Amino acid sequence: MNERSTWPSDKLTALRLGRRLIAEVAASQPGRRAFVDITPDRVTFDDQAAQEGWVRSNADRGFRLEHWEYDADRIDGFDYDIGAVRVRAASAKDESALEGVLALWGLRPDCFDYSWATDDPR
């Protein structure tokens, strides 16, 4: 991403550190909830850093994006995956391509939050 990126700096840092981000999006019908997640790719250097007790920042990561929809009544339970539907998925080779996928999907970077701060069940 370039200097004009609309990513909040803390979220961009999280992605570069390999942290997953989530956005809740509109579901297809009442009684459903939907989320888009961005999962940074892990590389050998990440595993090495983890073994040494630290986290490696990497501005050249690739990303996987998945849009899932769930039965709202199951979100908080063990069986959240019953009736779950993967709506779409994409890969982005770098931060610039990630912005392109988000634009194509009609999402803004500032819609994303840390996974622990969302209701995403995964």
Side-chain angles (χ1 to χ4, degrees):
M1 291 180 201
N2 57 39
E3 314 294 42
R4 298 176 310 231
S5 173
T6 56
W7 280 101
S9 61
D10 62 326
K11 302 306 185 318
L12 180 57
T13 298
L15 288 173
R16 289 178 175 176
L17 290 172
R19 305 289 188 242
R20 187 169 160 254
L21 296 179
I22 310 290
E24 186 160 4
V25 297
S28 65
Q29 58 188 329
R32 305 282 290 172
R33 291 184 70 189
F35 301 88
V36 171
D37 71 81
I38 302 172
T39 304
D41 292 338
R42 290 187 59 83
V43 296
T44 304
F45 295 118
D46 293 319
D47 296 331
Q48 180 181 353
Q51 289 175 353
E52 295 171 3
W54 59 287
V55 178
R56 178 180 178 268
S57 181
N58 182 354
D60 296 322
R61 289 184 187 278
F63 305 91
R64 291 181 315 282
L65 294 91
E66 290 187 313
H67 177 177
W68 283 90
E69 189 169 284
Y70 304 93
D71 181 346
D73 293 336
R74 294 189 184 274
I75 283 270
D76 292 328
F78 178 72
D79 295 327
Y80 69 86
D81 56 340
I82 294 175
V85 175
R86 187 170 80 168
V87 178
R88 57 188 166 180
S91 293
K93 67 178 181 164
D94 57 24
E95 293 174 0
S96 178
L98 174 60
E99 285 188 355
V101 173
L102 294 180
L104 184 67
W105 288 13
L107 298 171
R108 296 182 330 271
D110 63 346
C111 293
F112 287 84
D113 207 346
Y114 305 105
S115 59
W116 50 263
T118 71
D119 289 335
D120 180 72
R122 297 187 310 132

